[in-house]
Amino acid sequence: MITSNDLRRKFFKFFKEKGHSIVDSSSLIPHNDPSLLFNSAGMVPFKDMFLGKVKLEYTRAVSIQKCVRTTDIDNIGVTSRHHTFFEMMGNFSFGDYFKKEAIEWAWEFLTGELGLPKNKLSATIYQDDDEAFNIWLPIIGVDNIYRLGADSNFWMIGDTGPSGPCSEILFDKGKEFACDDPNCAPGCDCDRYLEVWNLVFTELERKQDGSFSPLPKKNIDTGMGFERLLSIVQDVESGYETDLFTPIWQMLSDLLKATKLKNGQQEGQKESHKKAFRIICDHLRSAVFLISDGVFPANDGRGYVLKRLIRRAVRQGNKLGLKNFLEPLVLKTIETMQTAYPYLLDKKVVCLDTINKAEKQFGETIASGKKLFSEYLETQKQSSPQKVVTMIDGVQVFKLFDTFGLPLDLIQELALEFGCDLDLIGYEKEMSEQRKRARKSLEGWDVEPEKFSGYPETDFLGYKENRLETEIVDIIDNGIILKQTPFYGESGGQKGDQGIIKNEEFEFLVETTKKFSGGVIVSFGKTVRGLPVKDVKVTAMIDLDMRDKIRRNHTATHILQAVLRQVLGIHVEQSGSLVAADNLRFDFTHPKAVAKEELAEIEYKVNEVIQKNLLVNTQVMSIAEAKETGALAFFGDKYGDNVRVISVIPSEQFLQGNQPVSVEFCGGTHVNMTGEIGLFKIVFEASVASGVRRIEGVTGLTAYQRTAEMDDLMGEVKHSLKAENSNILSVIKKIKDDNKSKSKEIESLRAKLLSSNIDDIIAAAEDKGGFKFIAYNAGNIDMNAMRSLADTLKLKSLETVIFLIAGEPGSYKALCVVTKDLPNFNAKDILNKIAGHFGGGGGGRSDMAQAGIKSNKAVIDIINFAQNSW
C-alpha cells in the first residue's frame, strides 16, 4: 500500500524531474493577503507571482500546501468529503509551460506513477475550450471528455484580473456511490464522480466592463486534494479511512471503549458515532497545525476560529461520554504527521498546554452558561411575573456571547433546552456594531490598501540614507508615494518612520509610513505649507531621533527573544511584536507565567549583551545560506530568494565557539553595536492569550528615566516609613501584620456592638401581615460578621424575613435570611428582587442568600425599596 509519506515523495520527485522547484508549505497565516484569515488554497502563497507584483523566483513550482477552510464547517462529519484542515497538492507555471504539459503530466502521474486505472478516469473541460479538448482526445477518448459551463469549469480571481478555463480530472468510485438521477454523469454533485485534480489555465484578463483579453504570459495553477487522492490510492471510502486519520481514529475508539467499560456500559463503536469521530479527528488536526503556526484561542479573528474548532471537538466528545480526553489525541496527531512536518515535535508542549487549557475552560463555560441562562430567565420572570419568557432579546444574546464567552451554537442549544427562541436579528445588529468598532484604522488613518495596488515597488534606501533627493510618484488622499524613500514602511512589527517631505513650493509633515502589497511604501501626514504635486523633485528627511529610538528597541527585541529561548526553552517563538519609539512589545509562546526570578535573569542577560557592546551584523544572502546559519524565521513570514539576516556577534570570550547571540531574518532597522541600546528594562509581563505571554520593555534614556522614577519613589517610601534598603521589607510586613490585627479587633468590636443591639433590631421589625420584615444597615462589617448577625437574629425571631446590607455606595454586600417557620418564602428570590432592582445579583439557598450591589444609591434608598417591596 502507498502510504501518505510515499505519496508525498512520489509527487515531489515526479515534478522535480520535470524541472519544478520544490516549495515548502507556507504558514496557515497568509503573508500576502490581509483579507484572508488562513491559506485556503494551494495557489494563495503564489498569488503575488501570478499577479506580477513580485520578481519571479522560479518559473515552475510544486508544493503541498497546508490549508484551513471553515466555510463548510457544518458539513464536517455529515459527509466524508469535507475537512477543515487539508493539504493541497499543486504544480504551477509562471509564464512557462501551458495546457499541453499540464494535462499530459497530470495524466502521466496519475496513471503511470500511481497506477490508477484509466477506465475509471474522465475529464471535464470548459464548454468553449477546444484546445483542451484536442489535447485530451488522444489521451482519454471522446467518450470520456465532458464539456461543462462556466459555473464549474471557468475560474476567476475576482470581478477583474487573471482568469481562465479549467479542466477537472474525475475518478469514478462506482455505481454504488451514484445518486438516483438516471442522467448521473461527471459533473453531478453526488459521491460517485470524485474530483481529483483541477487544472486551471490562466490565460485571460477580465476587464472592468466584463470583457476578456489575452494575458501576455499564460500561467498554470493546479490543485489536488491530498486526502482525497490518498483515499483513492489506498482504496478506501474517504480521507477519514486513510493512514492520515486511522491512528487518531483508533485512539479515540480505544478511549471511548475504556470509558464505557469504566461506566459499566456496552462496549464498541456504533455507526452513529461516525459523525462525532470525524468532527473530533478533523478539528484536532486543524487545532494542532493552527497552534503550531502561531494561532491561539481568542474572541475574534483566527483565534476565534481555533477556539470554535476545539470547542466543537470537546462537545462531540462530551456527547459520547468522554471528559478531558483531548491530550492523547493531540499526541497521536503529532505522531501521525511529524514525518511530513518535523517541526510539530518542537510544538508539542505548546499544543498540549493550549488545547488542555481550552478544554478545561470550555467545561467551565458550559457550566456557567447554564447558570447564566437560568438566572436571566429568573430575572425576567420576576420583573414581569405574568409574562412567559419565550424570546431572548438580541442584546442579551450578544452579552452571553461577547461578555461571558458562550458560543452562539451553545446559546442556541441552551435556548432550546429552556424552551426559548433567540432574537438573532438583534444579535446580528449588535455584532455589526462591534465589527464597526473593531475596524478602527491604525493610528486613526483611514487606509484602504486596494488604493495603492498597481504601483511599482518603492525603492527603500533608508538602511543607509536618512535624507535624500527623490521624486513624488503619486499623491492619494493624505499619502505620498515616493520613487525612492528613506522612510521605513510599517512592517514586521516595526512602526513606520516620521519626518518631512518638502521643496520650495510645499512642506509635508510625515506622521506615519506604511508598506503595502507589492512593496509600495506610502508616507501619510498633513501639509503644513503649500501644496504637493506629483512628478516633482523633493527632499525627504526622516525624524532621526525617532528612528534611533526604534532601532534601539528593535535590536533589543532580537536579543530578548534569544535570551527567552535560553532561559525558558526553545519552545519560545514569536507570536507578535511591536517596535515603537517609546517602547517594545514581544508576544511569545510559553505555557505559564514567567516567574519573578526568571524575569530578573532575562533582564540581566539582555543587559549583559548590551554592555558587551557586540557587533550587530547585517547580511543579505540566499534563503538557503540563511537557513544554514540557523536564523530564526517565525510567525508565518514569506521570504524571497534573498533575505536580510541580522546577527548579534559576540567575542570569543562571551560564548564558546564564537556563535551568534541572536540571528534572525529581519527587514527592520537596527543599531550597529549593542552598546548603543544603553539600558533595557522590563516593565510588564502578562498573558495575552492561551499559551501566549507578553513582555513590554523600554531602552535607552526611557529605561533610565523609568529607573530614576522608581528610585525616587523608593526614596519617598523609605522616608515615609523611616526605613532603609536593608529593612524596608520587614518594616512593611510589620505594618501589614499590625493592620491585620487591628482590623480583626475592629470587626470584633463591631460584632459586639451589633450583638448589643439585637433586641432593638428585632423590635424595629415591620409587621407585614402574617410575617415580620427586618431591613437593617449593618455599617461596614464583612460578610462573615453579617452571617453571624443574621444567625443571631434568626435564633431570636419567629416568622421573620431578615435583609441586611453593609458597605459603601458602589460596593454593597447584602444578605437575606428566612426563619424556618416560613417555608413558603424563598430568600434567594427575595434578595434577587431587591438586588436586581439596583443592578446587583447573587445566589444562595431558599433559607439564606447573599448578593453584591454596585449601585451608587444611598443605603437608605435600598432599605426603603426593600421595605416597600411587599
Side-chain angles (χ1 to χ4, degrees):
M1 182 185 76
I2 296 177
T3 68
S4 55
N5 290 322
D6 292 335
L7 182 57
R8 293 179 203 278
R9 285 190 290 268
K10 285 177 178 290
F11 185 66
F12 283 136
K13 181 175 181 292
F14 179 85
F15 279 100
K16 185 177 182 181
E17 290 173 353
K18 303 293 186 186
H20 291 62
S21 297
I22 297 175
V23 180
D24 291 338
S25 172
S26 292
S27 166
L28 286 168
I29 303 170
H31 68 277
N32 59 352
D33 191 341
S35 68
L36 296 176
L37 277 180
F38 305 111
N39 272 323
S40 57
M43 64 78 62
V44 172
F46 302 106
K47 185 176 178 181
D48 286 346
M49 296 179 70
F50 278 121
L51 295 175
K53 290 184 176 181
V54 296
K55 179 183 176 183
L56 290 178
E57 304 167 26
Y58 30 71
T59 58
R60 299 181 180 187
V62 59
S63 71
I64 301 179
Q65 173 62 40
K66 299 175 297 184
C67 299
V68 164
R69 192 181 297 166
T70 58
T71 50
D72 296 323
I73 193 169
D74 291 332
N75 286 325
I76 304 300
V78 177
T79 76
S80 61
R81 302 192 308 271
H82 289 89
H83 303 285
T84 56
F85 173 84
F86 58 95
E87 297 174 84
M88 187 60 72
M89 310 166 77
N91 57 293
F92 307 90
S93 168
F94 309 101
D96 191 337
Y97 63 83
F98 200 48
K99 291 182 186 179
K100 186 175 188 299
E101 294 87 347
I103 290 172
E104 290 178 349
W105 290 344
W107 183 258
E108 181 184 348
F109 179 74
L110 292 176
T111 60
E113 197 68 31
L114 299 184
L116 297 189
K118 297 179 181 180
N119 64 346
K120 288 277 190 179
L121 298 174
S122 57
T124 65
I125 60 171
Y126 179 53
Q127 57 193 10
D128 298 330
D129 193 351
D130 293 333
E131 181 183 359
F133 178 85
N134 291 328
I135 297 170
W136 272 119
L137 187 60
I139 296 173
I140 204 168
V142 66
D143 293 337
N144 293 306
I145 305 172
Y146 297 83
R147 292 179 183 264
L148 299 178
D151 287 347
S152 58
N153 278 70
F154 195 91
W155 177 86
M156 290 185 290
I157 196 171
D159 293 335
T160 60
S163 57
C166 62
S167 177
E168 294 182 348
I169 302 174
L170 308 178
F171 181 84
D172 185 355
K173 294 179 68 177
K175 293 181 180 179
E176 62 270 27
F177 292 94
C179 60
D180 296 330
D181 187 345
N183 297 317
C184 180
C188 181
D189 198 33
C190 69
D191 287 341
R192 177 172 180 177
Y193 298 99
L194 198 64
E195 177 196 323
V196 179
W197 208 336
N198 189 16
L199 315 176
V200 179
F201 312 126
T202 312
E203 57 182 314
L204 302 171
E205 181 176 10
R206 181 181 169 93
K207 301 288 185 62
Q208 194 73 43
D209 61 3
S211 63
F212 294 91
S213 62
L215 284 171
K217 288 187 177 182
K218 299 177 180 181
N219 303 317
I220 290 294
D221 159 23
T222 82
M224 177 163 51
F226 185 70
E227 293 81 4
R228 188 171 292 186
L229 178 61
L230 188 63
S231 72
I232 295 171
V233 170
Q234 295 186 353
D235 194 23
V236 293
E237 181 181 339
S238 73
Y240 290 103
E241 285 79 43
T242 67
D243 64 351
L244 294 172
F245 282 88
T246 49
I248 312 166
W249 192 288
Q250 185 59 50
M251 172 67 74
L252 180 55
S253 180
D254 292 343
L255 288 171
L256 183 59
K257 178 180 177 181
T259 300
K260 288 185 175 296
L261 286 174
K262 182 179 178 181
N263 296 333
Q265 297 172 310
Q266 188 177 353
E267 297 180 32
Q269 177 197 327
K270 299 178 181 178
E271 183 66 22
S272 59
H273 294 162
K274 184 178 287 187
K275 177 183 176 182
F277 271 48
R278 286 174 177 170
I279 292 173
I280 294 167
C281 294
D282 171 86
H283 288 10
L284 265 189
R285 277 165 39 99
S286 290
V288 166
F289 277 95
L290 285 171
I291 294 167
S292 297
D293 278 358
V295 180
F296 294 92
N299 291 328
D300 56 10
R302 300 181 181 103
Y304 177 69
V305 174
L306 172 60
K307 179 191 280 189
R308 188 181 179 203
L309 289 166
I310 296 172
R311 288 182 165 188
R312 279 172 58 90
V314 171
R315 288 182 60 216
Q316 291 299 323
N318 290 168
K319 289 177 181 179
L320 295 174
L322 296 171
K323 304 290 183 184
N324 301 320
F325 67 101
L326 292 184
E327 181 168 327
L329 298 177
V330 172
L331 292 172
K332 185 59 69 174
T333 300
I334 291 172
E335 179 186 316
T336 303
M337 301 299 293
Q338 68 186 29
T339 301
Y341 300 98
Y343 71 90
L344 290 178
L345 281 174
D346 295 333
K347 307 292 184 178
K348 181 163 64 176
V349 172
V350 70
C351 284
L352 284 173
D353 287 340
T354 302
I355 292 174
N356 283 341
K357 185 175 180 181
E359 182 177 16
K360 180 182 177 184
Q361 287 177 338
F362 188 47
E364 295 169 351
T365 297
I366 292 173
S368 65
K370 290 182 177 179
K371 182 172 180 280
L372 288 166
F373 223 88
S374 178
E375 289 176 351
Y376 170 75
L377 294 176
E378 191 65 33
T379 302
Q380 294 299 304
K381 288 175 184 177
Q382 288 178 6
S383 61
S384 303
Q386 306 304 318
K387 181 182 176 182
V388 178
V389 181
T390 59
M391 175 73 73
I392 311 297
D393 70 79
V395 174
Q396 181 63 25
V397 176
F398 179 74
K399 184 178 180 182
L400 290 169
F401 169 81
D402 187 60
T403 305
F404 297 106
L406 304 186
L408 183 60
D409 51 356
L410 177 59
I411 299 171
Q412 289 171 320
E413 285 197 8
L414 289 172
L416 189 64
E417 184 179 319
F418 283 87
C420 299
D421 292 323
L422 300 180
D423 173 19
L424 294 179
I425 295 176
Y427 164 77
E428 285 297 336
K429 182 180 178 182
E430 293 296 317
M431 280 295 293
S432 177
E433 290 300 316
Q434 187 197 52
R435 292 188 192 105
K436 288 179 183 177
R437 292 190 294 270
R439 278 192 219 110
K440 289 180 181 177
S441 298
L442 191 61
E443 298 176 14
W445 295 106
D446 184 16
V447 176
E448 298 179 35
E450 59 272 14
K451 286 186 176 182
F452 305 102
S453 62
Y455 288 95
E457 181 178 357
T458 307
D459 188 8
F460 175 64
L461 304 179
Y463 292 131
K464 294 181 179 179
E465 304 292 340
N466 302 321
R467 171 187 177 127
L468 57 86
E469 305 302 314
T470 182
E471 184 179 317
I472 294 180
V473 174
D474 207 349
I475 303 165
I476 301 179
D477 297 336
N478 51 1
I480 292 180
I481 304 173
L482 299 174
K483 188 173 183 180
Q484 300 92 20
T485 184
F487 296 100
Y488 182 87
E490 181 173 334
S491 59
Q494 178 175 324
K495 287 284 189 181
D497 277 328
Q498 297 179 354
I500 293 173
I501 299 171
K502 67 177 183 177
N503 63 16
E504 292 181 354
E505 304 299 324
F506 80 94
E507 185 170 328
F508 182 86
L509 183 65
V510 176
E511 296 179 342
T512 189
T513 303
K514 297 182 183 296
K515 186 176 181 181
F516 297 95
S517 179
V520 181
I521 298 174
V522 186
S523 294
F524 295 93
K526 59 186 178 183
T527 303
V528 294
R529 174 176 60 84
L531 189 67
V533 293
K534 61 186 294 186
D535 301 325
V536 299
K537 300 291 184 183
V538 294
T539 300
M541 300 176 289
I542 67 169
D543 181 334
L544 190 56
D545 181 59
M546 178 185 175
R547 168 72 76 83
D548 285 343
K549 290 176 180 177
I550 290 174
R551 291 190 307 126
R552 283 192 283 269
N553 283 332
H554 203 154
T555 305
T557 303
H558 280 221
I559 299 169
L560 173 62
Q561 176 166 244
V563 170
L564 284 168
R565 288 169 64 84
Q566 180 184 351
V567 174
L568 302 180
I570 60 170
H571 65 277
V572 167
E573 289 191 3
Q574 177 180 334
S575 283
S577 69
L578 172 69
V579 179
D582 52 355
N583 73 320
L584 64 90
R585 186 180 74 211
F586 188 73
D587 297 342
F588 58 96
T589 55
H590 189 57
K592 58 185 179 181
V594 183
K596 181 177 67 175
E597 295 78 14
E598 290 172 326
L599 282 174
E601 183 180 1
I602 291 163
E603 187 175 274
Y604 178 84
K605 286 182 176 292
V606 172
N607 280 298
E608 188 178 22
V609 174
I610 292 170
Q611 293 303 309
K612 293 289 182 181
N613 198 26
L614 308 179
L615 174 67
V616 180
N617 186 48
T618 301
Q619 290 178 284
V620 177
M621 60 182 75
S622 72
I623 193 165
E625 291 173 327
K627 287 181 177 179
E628 288 179 6
T629 69
L632 297 180
F634 293 138
F635 208 48
D637 290 336
K638 177 72 175 179
Y639 304 96
D641 279 344
N642 293 317
V643 293
R644 195 164 177 265
V645 177
I646 306 297
S647 305
V648 178
I649 307 295
S651 65
E652 292 194 16
Q653 291 75 26
F654 189 72
L655 285 178
Q656 291 184 352
N658 198 31
Q659 294 297 310
V661 171
S662 166
V663 54
E664 294 188 34
F665 293 18
C666 183
T669 59
H670 291 268
V671 299
N672 296 312
M673 304 290 291
T674 62
E676 296 173 34
I677 299 170
L679 181 66
F680 170 75
K681 184 75 180 171
I682 294 174
V683 298
F684 177 81
E685 191 278 335
S687 169
V688 291
S690 179
V692 181
R693 308 297 300 182
R694 170 173 293 172
I695 283 180
E696 293 184 9
V698 289
T699 62
L701 286 176
T702 307
Y704 168 78
Q705 289 166 354
R706 177 89 180 195
T707 303
E709 288 170 3
M710 293 303 293
D711 285 345
D712 290 344
L713 180 61
M714 180 61 76
E716 291 179 18
V717 170
K718 289 190 294 185
H719 177 74
S720 177
L721 299 178
K722 296 182 173 60
E724 299 297 332
N725 288 343
S726 58
N727 70 339
I728 189 168
L729 290 178
S730 60
V731 170
I732 292 172
K733 184 178 182 302
K734 185 177 185 305
I735 292 171
K736 288 174 67 179
D737 290 344
D738 289 346
N739 285 341
K740 187 176 180 180
S741 176
K742 288 174 181 176
S743 294
K744 286 182 178 180
E745 187 178 343
I746 291 169
E747 288 298 328
S748 176
L749 291 171
R750 280 178 177 164
K752 289 178 181 178
L753 181 61
L754 288 170
S755 296
S756 68
N757 292 335
I758 290 292
D759 292 339
D760 293 337
I761 296 171
I762 294 172
E766 290 189 3
D767 191 337
K768 294 295 183 180
F771 72 97
K772 295 178 181 179
F773 182 67
I774 294 174
Y776 182 69
N777 177 8
N780 282 316
I781 62 174
D782 62 17
M783 186 56 76
N784 288 330
M786 284 178 73
R787 291 196 195 98
S788 177
L789 174 60
D791 288 341
T792 304
L793 290 170
K794 189 176 179 182
L795 286 172
K796 294 191 174 187
S797 303
L798 295 173
E799 297 182 332
T800 303
V801 176
I802 302 162
F803 173 75
L804 303 179
I805 186 168
E808 300 288 343
S811 59
Y812 292 117
K813 300 179 289 290
L815 189 72
C816 184
V817 173
V818 175
T819 56
K820 291 181 180 180
D821 47 15
L822 291 175
N824 295 325
F825 286 71
N826 189 300
K828 182 180 175 182
D829 292 344
I830 295 168
L831 187 58
N832 277 334
K833 180 180 180 181
I834 298 169
H837 182 78
F838 295 96
R845 306 186 304 269
S846 61
D847 64 326
M848 184 180 77
Q850 64 187 53
I853 302 175
K854 294 184 178 180
S855 172
N856 288 315
K857 289 280 188 179
V859 69
I860 189 64
D861 294 331
I862 299 173
I863 287 178
N864 286 339
F865 176 82
Q867 289 172 333
N868 295 323
S869 296
W870 304 96

